[in-house]
Amino acid sequence: MINPESVSRRQFLSSMIATAGSAALAGLACADKAEFPPTRVITKGPRHHWFGYYDKLQFDPSSRYVLGMEVAFEHRSPKEDDVIKIGMVDLQDQDRWIELGESSAWNWQQGCMLQWLPGSKTKVIWNDREQGQFVSRILDVKTGEGRTVASPVYSVSPDGKTAITPDFSRVQDVRPGYGYPGFPDPHFKDLAPQDSGIFKVDLETGKRELILTLEEISRTGTIPNQQQDIKHYFNHLLFSPDGSRFITLHRWQYPNGKRLSRMVTANLDGSDVRVVVDNGFVSHFIWRDPQHILTQSKATPDSPSWGDFLVKDVSQGKLQQVGKGVLDNGGHLTYLPGNEWILNDTYPKGKSRIQTPHLYHVTSGKRIDLGHFHSPAIYTGEWRVDTHPRFSPDAKYVCIDSPHKNEGRQLHLIDISKIVGQS
């Protein structure tokens, strides 16, 4: 982990930023001038490999093993009987692929919620289906011992003992590509059911309890552009760094298919619900620390464009813009350990459909692009390939998903050690 008090690293940053005239530190480096950090593709065809969302632990604590998923097809929605392989890449053994298991509960954007179990050096967790329900698997990759929890998961607490999860059947109904096919929403006709919402899961006992219902959130605070026929759901959940609270997006869909969102936080028992961003326009987010959240939003409902904002975890928090005009306002945000750098990316831009993962130095306001990755036009909609950059615990590497030549989506490893001052 980065030590923010490191004298040598501070000296490195001071020296680098003082010479910020180079293309690498330009606010938006041009493709033909940028000197990008070393990158290699760590998976290969003919099968396709990816990881999914940006806020999960893809690397093990030693930064040696990189989790991924493997599939034989692309460019269509998954069916309930489509199976993907679960595996990991050994970065110290010629990027060897090690198969771990499989899943039939997955989607293109977030996979099967595959992640290293926080607090463990050797255990991973992912979602699957079994005997008519969604479940999660916990596997020790060293011993091969595994067990099944009778509930799917979304976000796992920092101590690895608790998970929170939305109703994936509900999500699949209103937002295909983020839920799992196969089990229809039993509350399909109910706009804000009492029996659906966010569940807390004890990963040690398997106990699952509903802690925040859609009915409750539908009558909490003021809902922008309120209508009687809007359909409520939760998506995108994340524990706070100290495990005391969680974020979720409360979303509602109109009959014409459009949707708006509010950012909500709560305690792990569903109490002390706070509508942090209530303007209806809020998306990707990450905790900076247990009291502050970095999120993409509009400053007001009438703002012409989105931005990146830091906000305190309070009801109707004040939005403070970060990196205006430099940090992309549509990417997937995370802080590197120490909070001196923000890792982000872009959606495909221009006729060439270029995606650009990048680092943003908070103190200096400088941006460093990590590469330009072409996304062919066929990768759109539900089966698009967002790069979703994830960093290693030692902050030496970033891993992204991106199409590679004629091999489809593959995992790419970017060495950022020289940028952030690692030896």
Side-chain angles (χ1 to χ4, degrees):
M1 305 290 276
I2 295 177
N3 180 359
E5 302 301 325
S6 171
V7 174
S8 62
R9 183 164 182 265
R10 287 179 180 273
Q11 291 173 340
F12 172 86
L13 288 175
S14 298
S15 174
M16 185 178 67
I17 293 165
T19 58
S22 67
L25 274 176
L28 289 170
C30 296
D32 58 345
K33 295 181 180 179
E35 294 182 1
F36 297 131
T39 299
R40 74 176 190 263
V41 182
I42 59 174
T43 54
K44 59 184 179 181
R47 290 181 175 264
H48 317 294
H49 302 84
W50 86 112
F51 180 76
Y53 232 42
Y54 65 101
D55 56 3
K56 303 288 184 287
L57 298 178
Q58 184 183 14
F59 292 78
D60 80 305
S62 73
S63 299
R64 173 175 177 172
Y65 298 104
V66 182
L67 292 173
M69 293 164 289
E70 181 182 86
V71 69
F73 68 90
E74 293 187 298
H75 315 313
R76 69 164 171 83
S77 301
K79 302 175 183 178
E80 61 183 289
D81 57 353
D82 283 323
V83 175
I84 59 172
K85 298 294 185 180
I86 308 299
M88 62 183 184
V89 177
D90 185 349
L91 298 181
Q92 296 181 17
D93 187 10
Q94 299 181 337
D95 298 336
R96 179 170 61 96
W97 172 261
I98 304 170
E99 189 169 311
L100 301 174
E102 60 183 32
S103 172
S104 59
W106 61 280
N107 56 58
W108 289 115
Q109 291 308 299
Q110 300 174 323
C112 56
M113 297 299 167
L114 175 64
Q115 56 197 291
W116 289 93
L117 194 67
S120 171
K121 294 181 180 180
T122 59
K123 293 180 180 179
V124 298
I125 187 170
W126 71 85
N127 289 342
D128 200 355
R129 76 179 73 213
E130 179 179 281
Q131 298 181 345
Q133 68 175 5
F134 295 125
V135 299
S136 54
R137 314 286 192 190
I138 297 178
L139 174 71
D140 189 311
V141 302
K142 184 175 182 179
T143 67
E145 297 179 355
R147 60 186 177 91
T148 298
V149 179
S151 172
V153 302
Y154 191 110
S155 181
V156 181
S157 62
D159 63 6
K161 296 180 179 180
T162 307
I164 47 177
T165 185
D167 183 336
F168 281 104
S169 294
R170 181 77 171 188
V171 177
Q172 178 68 14
D173 169 44
V174 291
R175 191 81 190 277
Y178 289 85
Y180 308 136
F183 303 141
D185 178 14
H187 309 289
F188 174 80
K189 295 182 179 180
D190 195 335
L191 298 176
Q194 294 181 344
D195 300 325
S196 178
I198 294 176
F199 299 83
K200 182 173 70 172
V201 183
D202 187 321
L203 294 178
E204 297 181 332
T205 67
K207 180 183 177 181
R208 167 177 158 132
E209 61 178 314
L210 181 60
I211 58 173
L212 184 59
T213 72
L214 289 170
E215 189 277 333
E216 177 184 351
I217 201 65
S218 72
R219 53 181 173 81
T220 300
T222 301
I223 295 180
N225 197 18
Q226 171 75 282
Q227 294 181 15
Q228 294 299 316
D229 53 1
I230 57 178
K231 196 169 190 177
H232 299 267
Y233 68 105
F234 288 115
N235 201 6
H236 302 308
L237 286 67
L238 186 63
F239 273 92
S240 62
D242 63 0
S244 65
R245 293 177 65 78
F246 66 88
I247 299 176
T248 184
L249 292 184
H250 165 218
R251 290 183 156 166
W252 55 98
Q253 186 181 58
Y254 296 91
N256 64 4
K258 293 184 178 180
R259 62 179 58 86
L260 293 178
S261 307
R262 300 188 299 174
M263 177 189 287
V264 174
T265 65
N267 290 330
L268 296 191
D269 60 0
S271 65
D272 190 16
V273 176
R274 306 170 190 171
V275 183
V276 179
V277 181
D278 63 357
N279 62 27
F281 297 90
V282 61
S283 185
H284 306 134
F285 56 76
I286 198 71
W287 291 92
R288 188 191 71 175
D289 53 59
Q291 291 79 39
H292 297 88
I293 302 157
L294 180 65
T295 186
Q296 286 162 356
S297 176
K298 287 188 175 184
T300 69
D302 299 324
S303 297
S305 61
W306 290 59
D308 302 294
F309 296 92
L310 191 65
V311 60
K312 192 173 182 179
D313 178 20
V314 297
S315 295
Q316 296 179 309
K318 182 180 179 181
L319 296 172
Q320 299 179 314
Q321 192 159 9
V322 176
K324 183 178 181 180
V326 180
L327 185 64
D328 193 87
N329 62 5
H332 304 85
L333 303 158
T334 51
Y335 281 94
L336 265 60
N339 295 339
E340 294 181 31
W341 297 90
I342 296 171
L343 178 62
N344 195 24
D345 64 349
T346 71
Y347 286 116
K349 294 190 175 184
K351 292 183 179 180
S352 298
R353 290 177 52 83
I354 297 298
Q355 295 173 286
T356 308
H358 52 278
L359 285 167
Y360 174 81
H361 187 247
V362 176
T363 302
S364 68
K366 299 295 183 180
R367 165 175 157 169
I368 301 177
D369 288 352
L370 303 180
H372 289 157
F373 298 85
H374 170 59
S375 180
I378 195 171
Y379 292 97
T380 57
E382 182 184 332
W383 44 80
R384 68 187 183 275
V385 186
D386 298 341
T387 60
H388 288 150
R390 293 87 48 179
F391 60 86
S392 61
D394 61 10
K396 292 183 178 181
Y397 301 104
V398 166
C399 189
I400 65 167
D401 306 329
S402 183
H404 177 65
K405 297 181 178 180
N406 62 347
E407 297 182 4
R409 65 192 71 206
Q410 301 294 343
L411 297 176
H412 301 238
L413 190 74
I414 306 172
D415 185 343
I416 62 169
S417 59
K418 291 185 179 180
I419 296 174
V420 299
Q422 298 299 288
S423 59

